[in-house]
């Protein structure tokens, strides 16, 4: 009888696990079902470009049904409402899906309740953390172009996804200079990180010096070890120092696990993230794995204001491949290998980019981090977006070496 694998989540983690399993297991050996709340795959790294008007959601997303069908993966476009690890079933849209192996790749919930005013939806703050939020932010940026004023960009205490905050600071600066409005918009960057470029991973080579220089060159004021305590319509308040006036506040929230994962007894930690061991197995529950942002990873170091460990797209993909290989190895009665996560990513700056490669992500590292800045990196990021969408939309394995 074919083994039943259920994957929850249709983004980088879920798609990679399902495709990798299908490449290694024929339909006779494994029935693979992917359940996703969102019918469309969205290329999340491009959400900052949706916010600045460089992209539409349509251009960076596609319907999952076609590519999954072409790979022989069953697709259920529905939200999972219950997971029962004792009975080994998940429920979505009133239908129960039994599994032998379950992979949780459900990403995050924005924990906007952590700071009064984080938003949108919950407060006047803005963020690019989901397609809907990025579109809302695009509207707010259009308003800023008509009614310019001070802007605060940054992250709340406990945030882990810091890259998009830096990208938006540089991208907005670039957009405003192109429109000759920059002189009307004081731009401040506020971060819980102890220094620029800490990124929740203890920094990387000369990224700190590079970012400090880039902010100073571009007249972007910055505060580090800053704990944002409140966001109102016209200011951002912090534990220490005077409030910063702001007509537009873009603040990355801390993240938590999605409600159904958080609510499943024995599956997740207090924040709703799934603790895993080296092969991304949830050690306490038989046959259960988690990958991507849904996974619990401890902070890299202790900081004055909390900063959590990053979970990038490139890391998500490595987790997904390791989890899939482990499932195959268990079916074949052998042990799969695992390795520490590394990361490569490109930070967009509007007209150029910064490339960072760290191996492993968590210091101390085997390799001296590679950090490089230039126009070519933005071109690499643009090419990667195009290549990823082109391949994934056709059910093919996207190229993933550089460009995230
Ligand atoms: C604005 C932004 C920019 C970023 N830029 C970069 C970058 O440049 N480079 C980089 O490497 N990383 C970047 N990241 C991080 C990267 O996007 C994440 O690491 C990646 O999206 C994680 O993938 P995932 O599959 O774990 O989760 P997600 O992408 O969050 O996807 C979660 C999936 O789970 C589904 N789901 C959730 N709940 C349920 C439920 N109850 N039932 C069924 N399905 C459910 C959703 O529909 C979705 O399909 C960025 C993140 C953001 C927000």
């Amino acid at each position: 009888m074919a083994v039943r694998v259920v994957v929850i989540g249709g983004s980088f983690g879920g798609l990679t696990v399902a495709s990798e399993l299908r490449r290694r297991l024929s339909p006779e050996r494994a029935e693979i079902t992917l359940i996703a709340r969102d019918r469309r795959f969205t290329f999340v790294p491009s959400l900052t470009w949706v916010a600045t008007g460089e992209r539409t959601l349509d251009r960076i997303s596609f319907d999952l049904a076609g590519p999954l069908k072409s790979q022989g993966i069953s697709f259920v476009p529905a939200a999972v409402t219950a997971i029962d690890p004792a009975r080994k079933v998940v429920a979505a849209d009133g239908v129960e899906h039994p599994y032998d192996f379950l992979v949780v790749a459900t990403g995050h919930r924005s924990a906007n309740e952590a700071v009064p005013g984080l938003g949108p939806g919950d407060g006047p703050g803005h963020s690019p953390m989901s397609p809907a939020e990025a579109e809302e932010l695009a509207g707010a940026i259009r308003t800023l172009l008509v009614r310019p004023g001070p802007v605060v960009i940054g992250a709340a205490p406990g945030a882990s996804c810091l890259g998009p905050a830096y990208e938006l600071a540089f991208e907005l600066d670039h957009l405003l200079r192109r429109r000759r409005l920059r002189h009307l918009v004081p731009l401040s960057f506020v971060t819980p990180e102890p220094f620029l470029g800490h990124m929740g991973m203890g920094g990387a080579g000369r990224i700190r010096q590079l970012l400090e220089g880039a902010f100073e060159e571009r007249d972007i004021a910055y505060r580090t070890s800053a704990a944002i305590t409140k966001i109102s319509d016209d200011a951002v308040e912090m534990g220490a120092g005077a409030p910063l006036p702001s007509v537009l506040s873009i603040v990355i929230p801390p993240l938590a696990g999605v409600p159904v994962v958080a609510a499943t007894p024995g599956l997740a930690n207090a924040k709703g993230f799934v603790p895993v061991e080296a092969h991304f197995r949830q050690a306490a529950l038989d046959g259960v794995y988690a990958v991507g942002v849904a996974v619990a990873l401890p902070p890299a170091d202790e900081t004055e204001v909390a900063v959590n460990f990053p979970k990038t797209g490139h890391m998500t993909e490595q987790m997904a491949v390791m989890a899939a290989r482990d499932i195959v190895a268990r079916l074949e009665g052998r042990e799969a290998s695992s390795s520490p996560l590394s990361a490569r990513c490109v930070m967009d700056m509007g007209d150029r980019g910064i490339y960072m490669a760290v191996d492993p992500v968590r210091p101390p590292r085997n390799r001296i981090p590679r950090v490089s800045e230039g126009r070519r990196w933005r071109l690499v990021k643009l090419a990667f977006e195009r290549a990823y969408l082109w391949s994934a939309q056709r059910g093919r394995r996207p190229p993933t070496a550089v460009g995230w």
Side-chain angles (χ1 to χ4, degrees):
M1 198 175 104
V3 68
R4 295 159 305 181
V5 184
V6 171
V7 178
I8 319 177
S11 183
F12 297 106
L15 266 193
T16 307
V17 167
S19 301
E20 186 72 20
L21 283 170
R22 180 45 83 225
R23 269 168 16 105
R24 289 164 184 272
L25 300 172
S26 67
E28 291 70 39
R29 284 201 68 195
E31 253 172 45
I32 305 171
T33 304
L34 186 146
I35 309 177
R37 183 191 57 201
D38 303 305
R39 200 187 166 88
R40 292 181 78 78
F41 169 92
T42 299
F43 190 78
V44 176
S46 298
L47 288 180
T48 63
W49 291 337
V50 170
T52 55
E54 266 193 73
R55 292 284 183 279
T56 59
L57 279 182
D58 253 10
R59 180 155 165 207
I60 61 158
S61 66
F62 60 82
D63 193 312
L64 283 163
L68 288 174
K69 189 170 179 209
S70 72
Q71 294 174 74
I73 298 166
S74 307
F75 177 41
V76 179
V80 167
T81 46
I83 303 170
D84 185 342
R87 289 175 52 234
K88 290 193 154 191
V89 290
V90 303
D93 250 357
V95 178
E96 288 199 334
H97 301 269
Y99 65 81
D100 300 300
F101 292 101
L102 172 68
V103 185
V104 177
T106 42
H108 76 276
R109 167 181 83 77
S110 290
N112 285 345
E113 68 279 5
V115 174
L118 279 172
D122 303 303
H126 305 269
S127 97
M129 296 306 293
S130 66
E133 289 168 312
E135 276 202 319
E136 190 277 345
L137 176 55
I141 290 177
R142 284 195 296 273
T143 306
L144 177 79
L145 299 178
V146 181
R147 287 196 296 279
V151 171
V152 172
I153 301 182
S160 53
C161 186
L162 293 146
Y166 285 96
E167 289 191 315
L168 277 165
F170 287 121
E171 288 164 355
L172 194 58
D173 166 76
H174 180 66
L175 174 66
L176 290 163
R177 280 187 285 114
R178 257 189 15 228
R179 301 282 177 105
R180 301 212 157 269
L181 291 170
R182 184 64 175 87
H183 65 299
L184 300 173
V185 182
L187 202 51
S188 305
F189 189 82
V190 177
T191 178
E193 297 160 282
F195 52 85
L196 295 185
H198 178 280
M199 301 279 178
M201 58 177 181
R206 58 188 192 91
I207 185 70
R208 171 185 186 161
Q209 290 77 6
L210 217 154
L211 288 171
E212 285 175 356
F215 274 2
E216 280 156 21
E217 207 167 58
R218 289 164 174 77
D219 297 316
I220 301 174
Y222 60 87
R223 291 189 195 178
T224 53
S225 292
I228 294 177
T229 52
K230 186 177 173 189
I231 299 161
S232 60
D233 285 328
D234 54 7
V236 170
E237 294 177 23
M238 276 148 294
L244 286 168
S246 176
V247 298
L248 172 66
S249 308
I250 307 171
V251 179
I252 304 290
L255 305 183
V258 301
V260 68
V261 172
T264 303
L267 176 60
N269 67 13
K271 287 185 182 165
F273 291 125
V274 182
V276 288
E277 46 78 284
H279 298 90
F280 298 93
R281 296 179 199 162
Q282 209 288 13
L285 301 174
D286 183 43
V288 178
Y289 289 72
V291 300
V293 176
V295 160
L297 296 175
D301 51 8
E302 213 172 287
T303 47
E304 189 182 330
V305 181
V307 185
N308 276 306
F309 200 71
K311 298 164 199 166
T312 67
H314 182 224
M315 290 162 70
T316 296
E317 198 157 76
Q318 292 166 63
M319 296 184 215
V321 169
M322 280 191 263
R325 288 183 183 166
D326 192 61
I327 291 173
V328 176
R330 281 169 77 179
L331 289 173
E332 292 171 354
R334 54 182 177 85
E335 267 296 302
S337 60
S338 71
S339 49
L341 298 169
S342 61
R344 297 190 206 112
C345 58
V346 178
M347 180 190 292
D348 179 42
M349 302 172 85
D351 54 352
R352 50 212 296 115
I354 296 176
Y355 172 69
M356 270 178 290
V358 283
D359 182 14
V361 182
R362 195 179 289 277
R365 302 190 174 110
N366 293 321
R367 293 192 183 180
I368 292 177
R370 182 164 174 217
V371 180
S372 161
E373 188 211 356
R375 282 185 201 285
R376 71 181 185 285
W377 292 118
R378 179 172 152 87
L379 298 178
V380 167
K381 194 164 176 91
L382 289 165
F384 180 69
E385 177 209 45
R386 181 179 283 221
Y388 197 105
L389 283 165
W390 191 92
S391 313
Q393 205 161 0
R394 286 163 180 78
R396 298 193 194 166
R397 185 82 192 275
T400 57
V402 180
W404 277 103

mmCIF file of all heavy atoms in Angstrom, residues 129-169:
data_model
loop_
_atom_site.group_PDB
_atom_site.id
_atom_site.type_symbol
_atom_site.label_atom_id
_atom_site.label_comp_id
_atom_site.label_asym_id
_atom_site.label_seq_id
_atom_site.Cartn_x
_atom_site.Cartn_y
_atom_site.Cartn_z
ATOM 1 N N MET A 129 4.208 41.791 5.434
ATOM 2 C CA MET A 129 4.387 40.382 5.790
ATOM 3 C C MET A 129 3.490 39.398 5.036
ATOM 4 O O MET A 129 3.674 38.190 5.144
ATOM 5 C CB MET A 129 4.197 40.192 7.301
ATOM 6 C CG MET A 129 5.220 40.915 8.153
ATOM 7 S SD MET A 129 6.930 40.525 7.724
ATOM 8 C CE MET A 129 7.024 38.820 8.191
ATOM 9 N N SER A 130 2.495 39.901 4.323
ATOM 10 C CA SER A 130 1.628 39.000 3.547
ATOM 11 C C SER A 130 1.176 39.759 2.301
ATOM 12 O O SER A 130 1.290 40.995 2.249
ATOM 13 C CB SER A 130 0.407 38.586 4.376
ATOM 14 O OG SER A 130 -0.395 39.733 4.604
ATOM 15 N N PRO A 131 0.649 39.044 1.293
ATOM 16 C CA PRO A 131 0.199 39.744 0.083
ATOM 17 C C PRO A 131 -0.796 40.870 0.384
ATOM 18 O O PRO A 131 -0.652 41.983 -0.134
ATOM 19 C CB PRO A 131 -0.452 38.628 -0.738
ATOM 20 C CG PRO A 131 0.282 37.381 -0.314
ATOM 21 C CD PRO A 131 0.587 37.566 1.139
ATOM 22 N N ALA A 132 -1.776 40.604 1.247
ATOM 23 C CA ALA A 132 -2.785 41.634 1.535
ATOM 24 C C ALA A 132 -2.150 42.838 2.232
ATOM 25 O O ALA A 132 -2.453 43.998 1.923
ATOM 26 C CB ALA A 132 -3.897 41.043 2.396
ATOM 27 N N GLU A 133 -1.224 42.562 3.160
ATOM 28 C CA GLU A 133 -0.571 43.662 3.877
ATOM 29 C C GLU A 133 0.333 44.471 2.938
ATOM 30 O O GLU A 133 0.432 45.695 3.051
ATOM 31 C CB GLU A 133 0.236 43.103 5.054
ATOM 32 C CG GLU A 133 -0.646 42.595 6.185
ATOM 33 C CD GLU A 133 0.129 41.782 7.220
ATOM 34 O OE1 GLU A 133 0.901 40.886 6.822
ATOM 35 O OE2 GLU A 133 -0.052 42.033 8.413
ATOM 36 N N ALA A 134 0.982 43.795 2.004
ATOM 37 C CA ALA A 134 1.853 44.510 1.054
ATOM 38 C C ALA A 134 1.030 45.423 0.152
ATOM 39 O O ALA A 134 1.447 46.555 -0.151
ATOM 40 C CB ALA A 134 2.649 43.504 0.222
ATOM 41 N N GLU A 135 -0.159 44.968 -0.241
ATOM 42 C CA GLU A 135 -1.021 45.823 -1.073
ATOM 43 C C GLU A 135 -1.515 47.025 -0.276
ATOM 44 O O GLU A 135 -1.596 48.138 -0.786
ATOM 45 C CB GLU A 135 -2.216 45.018 -1.588
ATOM 46 C CG GLU A 135 -1.869 44.232 -2.832
ATOM 47 C CD GLU A 135 -3.090 43.867 -3.660
ATOM 48 O OE1 GLU A 135 -4.112 43.490 -3.045
ATOM 49 O OE2 GLU A 135 -2.996 43.940 -4.901
ATOM 50 N N GLU A 136 -1.841 46.789 1.000
ATOM 51 C CA GLU A 136 -2.281 47.889 1.859
ATOM 52 C C GLU A 136 -1.153 48.914 1.986
ATOM 53 O O GLU A 136 -1.372 50.130 1.904
ATOM 54 C CB GLU A 136 -2.673 47.308 3.231
ATOM 55 C CG GLU A 136 -3.368 48.272 4.173
ATOM 56 C CD GLU A 136 -2.412 49.168 4.950
ATOM 57 O OE1 GLU A 136 -1.205 48.884 5.000
ATOM 58 O OE2 GLU A 136 -2.878 50.190 5.490
ATOM 59 N N LEU A 137 0.081 48.414 2.160
ATOM 60 C CA LEU A 137 1.237 49.301 2.289
ATOM 61 C C LEU A 137 1.469 50.083 0.995
ATOM 62 O O LEU A 137 1.843 51.264 1.030
ATOM 63 C CB LEU A 137 2.481 48.466 2.660
ATOM 64 C CG LEU A 137 3.815 49.192 2.747
ATOM 65 C CD1 LEU A 137 3.759 50.372 3.716
ATOM 66 C CD2 LEU A 137 4.917 48.216 3.176
ATOM 67 N N ALA A 138 1.220 49.443 -0.132
ATOM 68 C CA ALA A 138 1.374 50.144 -1.417
ATOM 69 C C ALA A 138 0.467 51.375 -1.458
ATOM 70 O O ALA A 138 0.871 52.452 -1.912
ATOM 71 C CB ALA A 138 1.053 49.200 -2.569
ATOM 72 N N GLY A 139 -0.759 51.226 -0.944
ATOM 73 C CA GLY A 139 -1.699 52.359 -0.897
ATOM 74 C C GLY A 139 -1.155 53.460 0.002
ATOM 75 O O GLY A 139 -1.225 54.658 -0.331
ATOM 76 N N ALA A 140 -0.585 53.078 1.146
ATOM 77 C CA ALA A 140 -0.052 54.071 2.088
ATOM 78 C C ALA A 140 1.147 54.799 1.481
ATOM 79 O O ALA A 140 1.325 56.009 1.686
ATOM 80 C CB ALA A 140 0.347 53.363 3.385
ATOM 81 N N ILE A 141 1.956 54.089 0.704
ATOM 82 C CA ILE A 141 3.127 54.731 0.071
ATOM 83 C C ILE A 141 2.658 55.695 -1.035
ATOM 84 O O ILE A 141 3.202 56.789 -1.188
ATOM 85 C CB ILE A 141 4.121 53.670 -0.461
ATOM 86 C CG1 ILE A 141 4.789 52.979 0.743
ATOM 87 C CG2 ILE A 141 5.171 54.288 -1.372
ATOM 88 C CD1 ILE A 141 5.755 51.854 0.415
ATOM 89 N N ARG A 142 1.595 55.312 -1.754
ATOM 90 C CA ARG A 142 1.053 56.234 -2.769
ATOM 91 C C ARG A 142 0.579 57.514 -2.097
ATOM 92 O O ARG A 142 0.790 58.617 -2.604
ATOM 93 C CB ARG A 142 -0.098 55.573 -3.547
ATOM 94 C CG ARG A 142 0.374 54.545 -4.577
ATOM 95 C CD ARG A 142 -0.732 54.183 -5.566
ATOM 96 N NE ARG A 142 -1.866 53.533 -4.926
ATOM 97 C CZ ARG A 142 -1.953 52.203 -4.710
ATOM 98 N NH1 ARG A 142 -0.962 51.403 -5.074
ATOM 99 N NH2 ARG A 142 -3.015 51.692 -4.132
ATOM 100 N N THR A 143 -0.050 57.383 -0.927
ATOM 101 C CA THR A 143 -0.507 58.577 -0.192
ATOM 102 C C THR A 143 0.690 59.423 0.233
ATOM 103 O O THR A 143 0.652 60.659 0.154
ATOM 104 C CB THR A 143 -1.329 58.144 1.056
ATOM 105 O OG1 THR A 143 -2.366 57.289 0.620
ATOM 106 C CG2 THR A 143 -1.907 59.328 1.800
ATOM 107 N N LEU A 144 1.770 58.770 0.666
ATOM 108 C CA LEU A 144 2.976 59.506 1.078
ATOM 109 C C LEU A 144 3.526 60.339 -0.082
ATOM 110 O O LEU A 144 3.991 61.459 0.120
ATOM 111 C CB LEU A 144 4.047 58.512 1.554
ATOM 112 C CG LEU A 144 5.382 59.145 1.949
ATOM 113 C CD1 LEU A 144 5.286 59.751 3.350
ATOM 114 C CD2 LEU A 144 6.528 58.128 1.899
ATOM 115 N N LEU A 145 3.444 59.800 -1.290
ATOM 116 C CA LEU A 145 3.981 60.534 -2.444
ATOM 117 C C LEU A 145 3.164 61.798 -2.721
ATOM 118 O O LEU A 145 3.667 62.767 -3.268
ATOM 119 C CB LEU A 145 4.004 59.633 -3.687
ATOM 120 C CG LEU A 145 4.889 58.374 -3.579
ATOM 121 C CD1 LEU A 145 4.807 57.533 -4.846
ATOM 122 C CD2 LEU A 145 6.349 58.743 -3.289
ATOM 123 N N VAL A 146 1.893 61.774 -2.302
ATOM 124 C CA VAL A 146 1.041 62.959 -2.483
ATOM 125 C C VAL A 146 1.187 63.894 -1.285
ATOM 126 O O VAL A 146 1.209 65.124 -1.438
ATOM 127 C CB VAL A 146 -0.443 62.523 -2.639
ATOM 128 C CG1 VAL A 146 -1.352 63.731 -2.846
ATOM 129 C CG2 VAL A 146 -0.595 61.540 -3.789
ATOM 130 N N ARG A 147 1.266 63.317 -0.086
ATOM 131 C CA ARG A 147 1.387 64.125 1.141
ATOM 132 C C ARG A 147 2.637 63.688 1.903
ATOM 133 O O ARG A 147 2.560 62.935 2.877
ATOM 134 C CB ARG A 147 0.146 63.920 2.023
ATOM 135 C CG ARG A 147 -1.108 64.599 1.473
ATOM 136 C CD ARG A 147 -2.196 64.703 2.530
ATOM 137 N NE ARG A 147 -2.710 63.426 2.988
ATOM 138 C CZ ARG A 147 -3.637 62.706 2.338
ATOM 139 N NH1 ARG A 147 -4.132 63.160 1.205
ATOM 140 N NH2 ARG A 147 -4.054 61.559 2.828
ATOM 141 N N PRO A 148 3.825 64.159 1.470
ATOM 142 C CA PRO A 148 5.071 63.694 2.098
ATOM 143 C C PRO A 148 5.202 64.143 3.541
ATOM 144 O O PRO A 148 4.654 65.184 3.921
ATOM 145 C CB PRO A 148 6.169 64.325 1.232
ATOM 146 C CG PRO A 148 5.501 65.126 0.178
ATOM 147 C CD PRO A 148 4.039 65.120 0.384
ATOM 148 N N GLY A 149 5.920 63.369 4.330
ATOM 149 C CA GLY A 149 6.166 63.690 5.735
ATOM 150 C C GLY A 149 7.141 62.664 6.284
ATOM 151 O O GLY A 149 7.586 61.778 5.551
ATOM 152 N N PRO A 150 7.468 62.774 7.591
ATOM 153 C CA PRO A 150 8.462 61.857 8.151
ATOM 154 C C PRO A 150 8.001 60.390 8.131
ATOM 155 O O PRO A 150 6.823 60.100 8.327
ATOM 156 C CB PRO A 150 8.632 62.339 9.596
ATOM 157 C CG PRO A 150 7.480 63.231 9.864
ATOM 158 C CD PRO A 150 6.958 63.742 8.564
ATOM 159 N N VAL A 151 8.961 59.494 7.897
ATOM 160 C CA VAL A 151 8.665 58.056 7.823
ATOM 161 C C VAL A 151 9.583 57.307 8.787
ATOM 162 O O VAL A 151 10.766 57.627 8.895
ATOM 163 C CB VAL A 151 8.892 57.527 6.381
ATOM 164 C CG1 VAL A 151 8.808 56.008 6.331
ATOM 165 C CG2 VAL A 151 7.887 58.144 5.417
ATOM 166 N N VAL A 152 8.997 56.335 9.499
ATOM 167 C CA VAL A 152 9.805 55.435 10.334
ATOM 168 C C VAL A 152 9.672 54.021 9.766
ATOM 169 O O VAL A 152 8.562 53.550 9.508
ATOM 170 C CB VAL A 152 9.341 55.448 11.809
ATOM 171 C CG1 VAL A 152 10.074 54.366 12.615
ATOM 172 C CG2 VAL A 152 9.580 56.816 12.437
ATOM 173 N N ILE A 153 10.819 53.385 9.557
ATOM 174 C CA ILE A 153 10.834 51.991 9.093
ATOM 175 C C ILE A 153 11.657 51.190 10.093
ATOM 176 O O ILE A 153 12.653 51.703 10.619
ATOM 177 C CB ILE A 153 11.467 51.866 7.694
ATOM 178 C CG1 ILE A 153 10.674 52.722 6.701
ATOM 179 C CG2 ILE A 153 11.496 50.411 7.225
ATOM 180 C CD1 ILE A 153 11.170 52.662 5.276
ATOM 181 N N GLY A 154 11.248 49.965 10.380
ATOM 182 C CA GLY A 154 12.064 49.178 11.297
ATOM 183 C C GLY A 154 11.387 47.912 11.726
ATOM 184 O O GLY A 154 10.596 47.327 10.986
ATOM 185 N N ALA A 155 11.709 47.489 12.937
ATOM 186 C CA ALA A 155 11.201 46.205 13.436
ATOM 187 C C ALA A 155 10.908 46.323 14.924
ATOM 188 O O ALA A 155 11.563 47.091 15.646
ATOM 189 C CB ALA A 155 12.228 45.112 13.184
ATOM 190 N N ALA A 156 9.929 45.555 15.353
ATOM 191 C CA ALA A 156 9.526 45.562 16.762
ATOM 192 C C ALA A 156 10.417 44.588 17.544
ATOM 193 O O ALA A 156 11.025 43.679 16.951
ATOM 194 C CB ALA A 156 8.061 45.138 16.866
ATOM 195 N N PRO A 157 10.469 44.730 18.877
ATOM 196 C CA PRO A 157 11.235 43.763 19.678
ATOM 197 C C PRO A 157 10.773 42.332 19.373
ATOM 198 O O PRO A 157 9.576 42.083 19.232
ATOM 199 C CB PRO A 157 10.882 44.149 21.118
ATOM 200 C CG PRO A 157 10.514 45.590 21.046
ATOM 201 C CD PRO A 157 9.862 45.793 19.705
ATOM 202 N N GLY A 158 11.734 41.413 19.271
ATOM 203 C CA GLY A 158 11.388 40.009 19.021
ATOM 204 C C GLY A 158 11.229 39.675 17.552
ATOM 205 O O GLY A 158 10.965 38.516 17.213
ATOM 206 N N ALA A 159 11.402 40.660 16.658
ATOM 207 C CA ALA A 159 11.268 40.373 15.217
ATOM 208 C C ALA A 159 12.392 39.443 14.774
ATOM 209 O O ALA A 159 13.457 39.382 15.398
ATOM 210 C CB ALA A 159 11.312 41.668 14.413
ATOM 211 N N SER A 160 12.146 38.701 13.687
ATOM 212 C CA SER A 160 13.164 37.801 13.151
ATOM 213 C C SER A 160 13.379 38.028 11.657
ATOM 214 O O SER A 160 14.398 37.637 11.111
ATOM 215 C CB SER A 160 12.732 36.344 13.379
ATOM 216 O OG SER A 160 11.435 36.154 12.859
ATOM 217 N N CYS A 161 12.401 38.656 11.016
ATOM 218 C CA CYS A 161 12.441 38.832 9.557
ATOM 219 C C CYS A 161 12.887 40.265 9.283
ATOM 220 O O CYS A 161 12.059 41.135 8.981
ATOM 221 C CB CYS A 161 11.035 38.554 9.003
ATOM 222 S SG CYS A 161 10.936 38.568 7.221
ATOM 223 N N LEU A 162 14.203 40.534 9.404
ATOM 224 C CA LEU A 162 14.672 41.922 9.363
ATOM 225 C C LEU A 162 15.035 42.398 7.960
ATOM 226 O O LEU A 162 15.006 43.595 7.681
ATOM 227 C CB LEU A 162 15.872 42.065 10.309
ATOM 228 C CG LEU A 162 15.414 41.873 11.764
ATOM 229 C CD1 LEU A 162 16.474 41.195 12.598
ATOM 230 C CD2 LEU A 162 15.002 43.188 12.380
ATOM 231 N N GLY A 163 15.352 41.469 7.067
ATOM 232 C CA GLY A 163 15.762 41.849 5.710
ATOM 233 C C GLY A 163 14.779 42.796 5.031
ATOM 234 O O GLY A 163 15.192 43.839 4.496
ATOM 235 N N PRO A 164 13.468 42.485 5.044
ATOM 236 C CA PRO A 164 12.529 43.364 4.348
ATOM 237 C C PRO A 164 12.479 44.792 4.921
ATOM 238 O O PRO A 164 12.174 45.739 4.192
ATOM 239 C CB PRO A 164 11.160 42.686 4.544
ATOM 240 C CG PRO A 164 11.442 41.305 4.976
ATOM 241 C CD PRO A 164 12.824 41.249 5.530
ATOM 242 N N ALA A 165 12.803 44.953 6.213
ATOM 243 C CA ALA A 165 12.818 46.312 6.786
ATOM 244 C C ALA A 165 13.948 47.117 6.129
ATOM 245 O O ALA A 165 13.748 48.265 5.691
ATOM 246 C CB ALA A 165 13.013 46.248 8.300
ATOM 247 N N TYR A 166 15.139 46.503 6.032
ATOM 248 C CA TYR A 166 16.256 47.188 5.364
ATOM 249 C C TYR A 166 15.907 47.469 3.901
ATOM 250 O O TYR A 166 16.161 48.553 3.374
ATOM 251 C CB TYR A 166 17.522 46.339 5.436
ATOM 252 C CG TYR A 166 18.186 46.340 6.796
ATOM 253 C CD1 TYR A 166 17.951 45.330 7.718
ATOM 254 C CD2 TYR A 166 19.045 47.366 7.164
ATOM 255 C CE1 TYR A 166 18.559 45.329 8.967
ATOM 256 C CE2 TYR A 166 19.671 47.376 8.414
ATOM 257 C CZ TYR A 166 19.419 46.348 9.309
ATOM 258 O OH TYR A 166 20.024 46.361 10.550
ATOM 259 N N GLU A 167 15.342 46.454 3.241
ATOM 260 C CA GLU A 167 15.026 46.638 1.816
ATOM 261 C C GLU A 167 14.065 47.805 1.625
ATOM 262 O O GLU A 167 14.264 48.656 0.765
ATOM 263 C CB GLU A 167 14.402 45.354 1.246
ATOM 264 C CG GLU A 167 15.417 44.232 1.119
ATOM 265 C CD GLU A 167 14.898 43.046 0.327
ATOM 266 O OE1 GLU A 167 13.746 42.626 0.579
ATOM 267 O OE2 GLU A 167 15.632 42.531 -0.535
ATOM 268 N N LEU A 168 13.031 47.869 2.480
ATOM 269 C CA LEU A 168 12.051 48.947 2.310
ATOM 270 C C LEU A 168 12.663 50.315 2.595
ATOM 271 O O LEU A 168 12.307 51.302 1.948
ATOM 272 C CB LEU A 168 10.831 48.695 3.207
ATOM 273 C CG LEU A 168 9.820 47.728 2.577
ATOM 274 C CD1 LEU A 168 8.832 47.212 3.609
ATOM 275 C CD2 LEU A 168 9.081 48.392 1.406
ATOM 276 N N ALA A 169 13.592 50.378 3.548
ATOM 277 C CA ALA A 169 14.253 51.664 3.829
ATOM 278 C C ALA A 169 15.007 52.139 2.586
ATOM 279 O O ALA A 169 14.869 53.293 2.144
ATOM 280 C CB ALA A 169 15.197 51.527 5.023
#
